[in-house]
Amino acid sequence: MSDAIKHECGIALLRLKKPLEYYIDKYGTAFYGLNKMYLLMEKQHNRGQDGAGLANIKLDMKPGERYISRSRSVDPKPIQDIFTTINSRFEEIAEHSPEKLKDVDYLKKNVGFTGELFLGHLRYGTSGKNGIESCHPFLRQNNWMTRNLVVAGNFNLTNVDELFDVLSNLGQHPKEKSDTVTVLEKIGHFLDVENEGLFKQYKTQGYNNKEITSKIAEHLDIEKILKRASEDWDGGYTMSGLFGHGDAFVLRDPAGIRPAFWYEDEEICVVTSERPVIQTAFNLKKEDIKELKPGHALIIKKSGQLDEVKINEPTERKACSFERIYFSRGNDYDIYKERKLLGQFLIPQIIESINNELDDSVFSFIPNTAEMSFYGMMKGLEDFLNVEKMEAIKALGSEMTDEKLSQILTRKTRFEKIAIKDAKLRTFITQEDARDEMVAHVYDITYGTVKRNVDNLVVIDDSIVRGTTLKQSILRILDRLEPKKIVVVSSAPQIRYPDCYGIDMAKMSDFIAFEAAIELLKETGKAFIIDEVYKKCKEQQTFPKEQIKNYVKDIYKPFTANEISAKIAELLTPIDMNSEVEIVYQTIENLHKACPDNLGDWYFTGNYPTPGGNKVVNRAFINYIEGIGGRAY
């Protein structure tokens, strides 16, 4: 993606189901779990580079022995920083008493992160806060082992204000109004309620306090806690948690907006945000791994028993399509195929944009994540060209000669590596004019690949959000090759609406498609629609979220997608460009054909999967009109 969009987060939960001695005997190390966690987190580093965190719980520790460890980092390389810090203690032991590295009793009593239950998190900061206190996992501590709670997740909730009021009415005093703290305290509250209920039950049955603690640990009803805590959450989430005594869970939202995959055998249970991560770390096949069902929780008891339990009634599946277009790593079996289809389905629009001048066109992609859709585009062009060759051969009839046949068969689509991103170039200059000049050199080009003033140059990107990099850098450098026409192709449709479920696309001004629609309304004498939409949004501010409609859709209604695309091209074309510029976007229909199981398309269509989405988009539009910066949720 040429625009720098921060997004998502990643989780990794690992439960070792055997005693640590088992892993020493079989794998030669007491750090089997820790090593696997490093792999699970590092293979998901694409999901979060603003910070990382790791928590560990040791089972069956005696009173007075530490059983929860946590490390978090906002270092430029946070995963490496965390594991370097943890491993420094083991290196110290290896230097002085190497035999203790296989002494399980010593390790569990004296060294952190030697337990059986791990929870890791990769963070992208969508709240603008990147301090250590914003890093997951979050910890809610208590002297009662069964009341300790560790929480981490990939989520955004749209109704934090409502949830905060609920907690306040319960008598709590949360330290801040954020979805993470709210979730932690909401689960924590019902964890307390469950503990108190069980304590009273066993007390009346004559058990002493020590016996009751063991009883609570054995019979804590995680399903009931999660149902009560999450019944009024509105948003997209994969929420994971550990309890101090050793139970664990991962809970997914009812629409399946945020992803989660899991695997279990006799040695381990593991949950991550992406499927191929588990495949790589444990050398598994795709078929071995299951997707956590929407609205369900994977509950792992201290005993090792695992159950997938329905917590909230699943709604229509609206799994995030941006996962397929860009966010998840492309080595997933299905995502790889889907990204290729996204490129392939664009062929009719591309052929039209170059006026079927295939012989005078060069094809490429904008580094780096668009490479797979580029392969699909080239496959589609190859198929198109084969049809043309077949028709040309048929047309020769009796006039066929070897020379004519050779001319037809040797026609090929031309592709080149055009744009090269200079990863080491940084724009330290702050003066705007000088900085724009530096930004223009973040990418470089391969000279001599395009016939000047003859060739069309077609480059594919996975998505175009703001278009800033296109305007300031990419189009300018492509223009140096002097093509007749530059066609920028987006494998995603026009991004028109803010996301409120995890991606850092929160303001209307973030979207070049919105800017284009506003300009078109003004140019065509329909600016009154802007005022009408504003009034409708304001009128709904006091409505319950379930009654709110997305009136921002009216901004786009007067225009076709092609008209908006043409305006986008006009807005993004630098004034000193020599080449003609056209921008081609994926259609919604073809997006759904390419990604049939991930139909969450609210950023493209405005069809939000939860009522809170409509509330957020209207608030975002009000903020835009009133000149208010910041987020609408």
Side-chain angles (χ1 to χ4, degrees):
M1 182 184 287
S2 53
D3 290 320
I5 296 295
K6 293 184 176 181
H7 56 85
E8 306 293 352
C9 289
I11 63 159
L13 186 149
L14 177 63
R15 167 64 198 275
L16 302 181
K17 295 170 70 174
K18 302 283 189 181
L20 290 190
E21 290 87 352
Y22 173 91
Y23 303 95
I24 294 175
D25 292 341
K26 183 170 182 178
Y27 299 105
T29 176
F31 312 119
Y32 175 82
L34 199 61
N35 293 338
K36 291 297 185 184
M37 281 303 297
Y38 175 74
L39 265 181
L40 294 171
M41 292 176 70
E42 193 60 69
K43 291 294 181 181
Q44 294 185 103
H45 77 271
N46 55 297
R47 303 190 70 86
Q49 296 169 28
D50 287 337
L54 179 67
N56 177 247
I57 288 181
K58 303 174 186 178
L59 304 182
D60 302 316
M61 301 302 288
K62 295 177 182 177
E65 295 176 343
R66 186 177 177 184
Y67 57 95
I68 299 180
S69 306
R70 180 179 61 157
S71 178
R72 299 180 292 176
S73 174
V74 289
D75 186 83
K77 295 183 177 179
I79 302 172
Q80 292 92 324
D81 184 48
I82 286 170
F83 283 89
T84 298
T85 302
I86 293 170
N87 286 327
S88 64
R89 174 66 176 130
F90 302 133
E91 289 168 1
E92 183 183 324
I93 296 171
E95 185 178 346
H96 297 100
S97 306
E99 72 282 357
K100 290 181 178 178
L101 291 179
K102 294 190 177 181
D103 185 338
V104 170
D105 188 55
Y106 172 82
L107 290 173
K108 289 190 69 170
K109 286 181 179 179
N110 296 281
V111 189
F113 296 95
T114 54
E116 297 86 349
L117 189 54
F118 296 87
L119 178 58
H121 187 265
L122 294 312
R123 179 177 187 271
Y124 261 129
T126 57
S127 65
K129 301 175 182 177
N130 284 328
I132 195 76
E133 291 303 316
S134 298
C135 284
H136 304 205
F138 282 70
L139 177 60
R140 191 177 191 263
Q141 293 180 289
N142 194 286
N143 276 344
W144 283 65
M145 183 178 280
T146 53
R147 294 195 186 203
N148 279 280
L149 175 63
V150 181
V151 167
N154 168 15
F155 67 98
N156 262 357
L157 300 183
T158 69
N159 60 334
V160 174
D161 289 345
E162 298 170 24
L163 298 174
F164 184 87
D165 291 340
V166 170
L167 289 174
S168 298
N169 292 333
L170 289 172
Q172 289 195 20
H173 192 90
K175 63 180 181 180
E176 62 178 280
K177 188 185 287 188
S178 73
D179 52 4
T180 307
V181 171
T182 303
V183 163
L184 182 71
E185 293 303 329
K186 195 83 186 293
I187 299 173
H189 169 74
F190 288 108
L191 175 62
D192 289 343
V193 170
E194 176 71 5
N195 268 272
E196 289 162 8
L198 289 174
F199 183 87
K200 291 176 182 176
Q201 174 186 327
Y202 293 124
K203 197 70 173 175
T204 58
Q205 293 175 9
Y207 291 98
N208 63 42
N209 288 3
K210 191 171 182 180
E211 292 170 329
I212 289 174
T213 298
S214 297
K215 283 284 187 181
I216 292 174
E218 184 180 352
H219 296 288
L220 199 69
D221 192 336
I222 310 298
E223 180 180 346
K224 182 165 73 172
I225 293 169
L226 294 178
K227 282 182 176 178
R228 299 180 74 181
S230 66
E231 62 181 354
D232 50 4
W233 292 354
D234 185 293
Y237 53 84
T238 296
M239 207 74 67
S240 52
L242 316 177
F243 298 97
H245 62 284
D247 287 353
F249 70 87
V250 179
L251 172 64
R252 195 175 182 199
D253 67 85
I257 295 170
R258 298 273 70 88
F261 298 88
W262 63 278
Y263 168 78
E264 179 195 26
D265 61 25
E266 69 279 359
E267 293 183 358
I268 55 107
C269 173
V270 58
V271 189
T272 60
S273 295
E274 297 188 25
R275 179 172 59 187
V277 176
I278 302 176
Q279 288 181 250
T280 299
F282 295 95
N283 192 24
L284 300 169
K285 294 181 174 63
K286 174 178 78 81
E287 297 76 21
D288 297 329
I289 299 160
K290 299 178 183 179
E291 182 178 4
L292 181 58
K293 297 172 188 172
H296 286 62
L298 201 66
I299 295 175
I300 309 164
K301 295 296 290 180
K302 177 179 177 289
S303 64
Q305 178 185 338
L306 181 148
D307 292 294
E308 188 176 21
V309 180
K310 185 169 75 173
I311 302 298
N312 297 298
E313 194 63 39
T315 59
E316 183 181 1
R317 181 184 167 94
K318 290 292 182 181
C320 173
S321 57
F322 244 122
E323 284 282 349
R324 326 304 284 185
I325 296 166
Y326 171 65
F327 295 147
S328 290
R329 291 178 67 168
N331 59 332
D332 181 273
Y333 176 85
D334 292 325
I335 290 176
Y336 180 71
K337 290 196 304 181
E338 290 165 9
R339 287 184 183 173
K340 287 176 67 178
L341 286 174
L342 286 169
Q344 193 171 335
F345 288 160
L346 284 158
I347 297 307
Q349 294 163 266
I350 292 171
I351 295 299
E352 183 180 352
S353 71
I354 61 174
N355 196 28
N356 204 5
E357 297 172 350
L358 268 178
D359 296 311
D360 292 323
S361 296
V362 177
F363 298 87
S364 191
F365 60 93
I366 298 173
N368 285 320
T369 52
E371 188 171 358
M372 290 162 197
S373 57
F374 168 75
Y375 293 148
M377 179 179 72
M378 296 311 297
K379 173 66 166 62
L381 288 168
E382 182 181 314
D383 292 343
F384 179 87
L385 189 56
N386 283 340
V387 172
E388 283 207 335
K389 289 179 182 180
M390 190 179 299
E391 293 301 320
I393 292 170
K394 288 179 182 177
L396 288 175
S398 60
E399 298 179 7
M400 183 184 296
T401 65
D402 288 350
E403 183 180 353
K404 289 180 179 179
L405 187 59
S406 178
Q407 284 179 344
I408 294 171
L409 293 177
T410 54
R411 286 185 68 200
K412 293 181 179 179
T413 50
R414 294 159 55 204
F415 59 92
E416 303 286 353
K417 181 70 177 285
I418 297 289
I420 304 162
K421 190 168 186 179
D422 192 336
K424 296 182 180 179
L425 191 63
R426 298 289 183 268
T427 52
F428 298 108
I429 297 174
T430 56
Q431 293 86 355
E432 188 170 345
D433 292 343
R435 187 177 185 279
D436 285 348
E437 168 64 17
M438 290 295 289
V439 167
H441 295 282
V442 170
Y443 286 85
D444 210 339
I445 49 170
T446 306
Y447 292 96
T449 51
V450 172
K451 290 180 286 187
R452 294 178 180 177
N453 302 313
V454 174
D455 283 340
N456 303 298
L457 177 55
V458 181
V459 292
I460 190 167
D461 197 354
D462 42 42
S463 57
I464 302 168
V465 188
R466 302 182 183 99
T468 308
T469 310
L470 271 179
K471 184 171 186 175
Q472 292 183 349
S473 177
I474 292 171
L475 287 174
R476 291 179 186 274
I477 69 156
L478 296 180
D479 195 44
R480 294 180 207 154
L481 295 172
E482 299 182 53
K484 179 176 66 175
K485 182 178 184 180
I486 297 172
V487 181
V488 181
V489 184
S490 170
S491 72
Q494 296 167 5
I495 298 167
R496 300 181 170 191
Y497 304 94
D499 181 70
C500 49
Y501 304 121
I503 307 166
D504 188 20
M505 300 191 300
K507 298 179 287 187
M508 299 306 302
S509 57
D510 283 344
F511 313 121
I512 188 62
F514 176 75
E515 186 181 338
I518 291 292
E519 287 299 313
L520 285 171
L521 287 172
K522 293 175 180 177
E523 290 173 5
T524 57
K526 297 174 182 173
F528 63 89
I529 292 176
I530 301 171
D531 295 327
E532 289 179 352
V533 171
Y534 174 67
K535 289 175 184 176
K536 289 177 181 178
C537 291
K538 289 290 282 187
E539 287 169 0
Q540 294 187 105
Q541 278 191 294
T542 57
F543 289 11
K545 63 181 183 297
E546 290 76 15
Q547 297 178 19
I548 295 176
K549 297 179 180 179
N550 179 2
Y551 285 112
V552 182
K553 289 183 178 183
D554 293 348
I555 295 294
Y556 299 97
K557 276 182 182 177
F559 313 109
T560 66
N562 287 341
E563 287 173 326
I564 293 174
S565 293
K567 190 63 183 178
I568 290 171
E570 181 185 324
L571 292 173
L572 293 184
T573 302
I575 56 173
D576 54 352
M577 283 280 294
N578 294 311
S579 305
E580 179 189 351
V581 174
E582 183 176 349
I583 295 181
V584 173
Y585 281 92
Q586 185 70 262
T587 65
I588 300 294
E589 295 74 22
N590 282 340
L591 171 69
H592 290 172
K593 280 172 60 180
C595 311
D597 296 324
N598 287 58
L599 300 178
D601 60 9
W602 53 92
Y603 10 71
F604 310 123
T605 64
N607 299 328
Y608 287 89
T610 75
N614 292 334
K615 179 179 178 181
V616 167
V617 68
N618 285 357
R619 178 72 254 176
F621 185 77
I622 292 169
N623 288 352
Y624 168 80
I625 296 296
E626 296 180 355
I628 299 172
R631 302 174 176 279
Y633 57 90

